[in-house]
């Protein structure tokens, strides 16, 4: 022992100081960048960008993390910060910023719990207008928003599907949100296109209603299909009265009807299929599954319960008799209604594939009857209605819209 603050161990040749004064500038062999435990293991290692901690660390009364009003850029997995806008702690998982502590819940609609891809989700399927309430803390949701489907025409085009909006990571802060579910548009009559479907609004987004199908009036005069989320199919005078346009990012155009008026002699007299969220409406001359002028297929989405369902299929066209193989159009997958036959002809249109909850549209009317009505769009699918026979006004409507949200349980 050499002094009260300095001890020499002759067994291993180490010199231990219990206190120190001065700058220590001339000392060598000391790693000033690391803190070690009693076993010589590095627990804190300084780096240019900060320090690396190893093991379990106990802090005093508090630990301060970085703060920001929005998600920082350039994040790497494991980063955390406190969001001062929403007053929540967030962590980056390598793909997105997630809530790091606490939980929020959402009330409204039909609530489901399911597991997909190893993640357990809660979902809210909202089928009617009302209020959604978020409690606890802010929640980040994936969303599907579908507008109401358009009405079919008369000896013309199928109704266009409602517009579709999907996305992920939408933050809903604590509070209430008004939801409006768009209704389906009524099928038209001679010279009157189908009505446009209603818009669905939720969380600052608007999914547009589908356009109405075009309608024959008399001779070379018709009414064009109208535009919307997806456009209504064109009339049987398509060169002058064509299909409606879909909205970019929400849907597709309607299909073309036969170019110009003819009584019975032209091929495939009738309109075009209504546009669907997944594809345009089929033209009067395009054969699919045995029928012409089918509604465009919708898109698939799994947010409701982990199973992919179609939403927002277009309505099928109506034909005009004369040719036994001049068929009406099927509804598009996702609630599209089938088109009717008018004064005989070929097949009537079948309903498109069902959506969540088994919701499906209707088949069109068949047989030698000019007043056959097109099939309805499926409830809460956004499907377009099928087109009526040439003398039928009104009847069925496009399918109503829907809102689906999900978030990790």
């Amino acid at each position: 022992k050499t002094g009260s603050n300095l001890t020499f161990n002759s067994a291993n040749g180490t010199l231990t100081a219990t206190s120190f004064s001065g700058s220590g500038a001339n000392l060598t062999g000391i790693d000033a960048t690391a803190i070690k435990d009693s076993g010589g293991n590095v627990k804190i290692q300084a780096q240019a960008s900060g320090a690396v901690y190893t093991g379990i660390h106990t802090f005093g009364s508090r630990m301060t993390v970085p703060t920001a009003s929005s998600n920082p850029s350039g994040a790497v997995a494991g980063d955390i910060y406190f969001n001062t806008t929403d007053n929540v702690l967030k962590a980056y998982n390598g793909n997105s910023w997630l809530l790091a502590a606490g939980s929020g819940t959402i009330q409204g609609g039909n609530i489901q719990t399911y597991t997909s891809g190893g993640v357990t989700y809660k979902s809210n399927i909202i089928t009617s207008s009302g209020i959604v309430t978020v409690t606890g803390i802010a929640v980040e949701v994936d969303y599907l928003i579908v507008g109401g489907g358009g009405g079919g025409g008369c000896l013309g085009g199928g109704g266009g599907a409602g517009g579709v909006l999907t996305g992920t990571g939408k933050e809903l802060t604590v509070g209430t949100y008004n939801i409006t579910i768009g209704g389906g548009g009524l099928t038209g009559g001679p010279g009157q296109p189908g009505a446009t479907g209603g818009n669905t609004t939720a969380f600052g987004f608007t999914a547009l209603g589908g356009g109405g199908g075009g309608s024959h009036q008399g001779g070379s005069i018709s009414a064009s299909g109208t535009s919307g989320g997806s456009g209504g199919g064109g009339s049987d005078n398509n060169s002058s009265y064509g299909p409606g346009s879909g909205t970019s990012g929400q849907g597709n155009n309607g299909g073309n009807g036969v170019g110009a008026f003819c009584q019975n002699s032209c091929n495939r007299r009738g309109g075009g299929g209504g546009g669907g969220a997944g594809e345009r409406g089929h033209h009067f001359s395009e054969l699919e599954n045995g029928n012409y002028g089918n509604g465009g297929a919708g898109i698939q989405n799994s947010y409701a319960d982990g199973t992919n369902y179609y939403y927002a299929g277009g309505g099928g066209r109506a034909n005009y008799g004369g040719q036994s193989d001049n068929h009406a159009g099927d509804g598009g997958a996702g609630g599209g209604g089938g088109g009717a036959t008018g004064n005989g002809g070929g097949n009537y249109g079948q309903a498109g594939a069902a959506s969540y909850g088994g919701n499906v549209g209707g088949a069109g009317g068949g047989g030698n009857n000019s007043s056959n009505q097109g099939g309805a769009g499926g409830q809460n699918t956004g499907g377009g209605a099928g087109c009526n026979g040439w003398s039928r006004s009104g009847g069925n409507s496009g399918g109503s819209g829907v809102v689906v949200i999900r978030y990790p349980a």
Side-chain angles (χ1 to χ4, degrees), residues 31-403:
D31 184 0
T33 67
I35 297 177
K36 302 178 182 180
D37 62 14
S38 58
N41 301 304
V42 174
K43 292 301 180 181
I44 303 177
Q45 178 66 59
Q47 294 184 342
S49 59
V52 176
Y53 293 76
T54 303
I56 299 173
H57 299 270
T58 302
F59 295 86
S61 60
R62 67 181 185 182
M63 179 182 70
T64 302
V65 298
T67 63
S69 59
S70 61
N71 294 337
S73 60
V76 297
D79 285 355
I80 61 173
Y81 85 103
F82 185 80
N83 186 296
T84 56
T85 301
D86 301 323
N87 293 321
V88 294
L89 186 67
K90 288 191 169 186
Y92 192 71
N93 68 355
N95 294 308
S96 60
W97 287 99
L98 304 175
L99 294 174
S103 63
T105 59
I106 302 176
Q107 297 297 320
N110 176 25
I111 299 174
Q112 300 288 323
T113 301
Y114 65 92
T115 299
S116 176
V119 179
T120 299
Y121 292 98
K122 282 189 176 181
S123 67
N124 299 67
I125 301 100
I126 303 158
T127 57
S128 59
S129 299
I131 294 176
V132 166
T133 303
V134 180
T135 59
I137 62 174
V139 180
E140 290 188 351
V141 302
D142 303 330
Y143 60 87
L144 165 73
I145 304 172
V146 183
C154 161
L155 178 52
V164 175
L165 296 171
T166 63
T168 60
K170 171 64 176 177
E171 185 172 81
L172 303 182
T173 57
V174 172
T176 58
Y177 297 84
N178 292 314
I179 308 296
T180 300
I181 302 296
L186 182 66
T187 298
Q192 181 66 44
T196 300
N199 297 342
T200 294
T201 59
F203 317 122
F205 299 109
T206 299
L208 300 177
S215 294
H216 181 77
Q217 179 169 328
S220 61
I221 306 300
S222 293
S224 301
T226 63
S227 300
S230 283
S235 74
D236 70 334
N237 285 301
N238 193 87
S239 295
S240 299
Y241 305 95
S245 299
T247 299
S248 177
Q250 296 200 23
N252 293 282
N253 298 341
N256 295 332
V258 69
F261 170 76
C262 59
Q263 188 64 31
N264 291 315
S265 59
C266 61
N267 290 327
R268 318 298 173 216
R269 183 182 175 191
E279 63 174 355
R280 66 160 171 80
H282 292 215
H283 301 324
F284 76 99
S285 57
E286 292 177 339
L287 181 68
E288 182 185 46
N289 296 326
N291 282 347
Y292 292 97
N294 294 345
I299 64 164
Q300 289 185 299
N301 184 277
S302 64
Y303 293 167
D305 65 4
T307 301
N308 266 323
Y309 299 99
Y310 278 101
Y311 297 85
R317 76 162 194 154
N319 66 351
Y320 186 81
Q323 297 170 306
S324 61
D325 62 349
N326 185 21
H327 309 304
D330 295 333
T341 61
N343 270 22
N347 305 329
Y348 59 86
Q350 300 292 333
S355 188
Y356 170 77
N359 292 339
V360 65
N368 189 15
N369 187 341
S370 65
S371 62
N372 286 328
Q373 65 178 2
Q379 183 179 12
N380 298 124
T381 67
C387 186
N388 285 342
W390 65 266
S391 67
R392 175 82 183 208
S393 293
N396 287 317
S397 298
S400 52
V402 68
V403 173

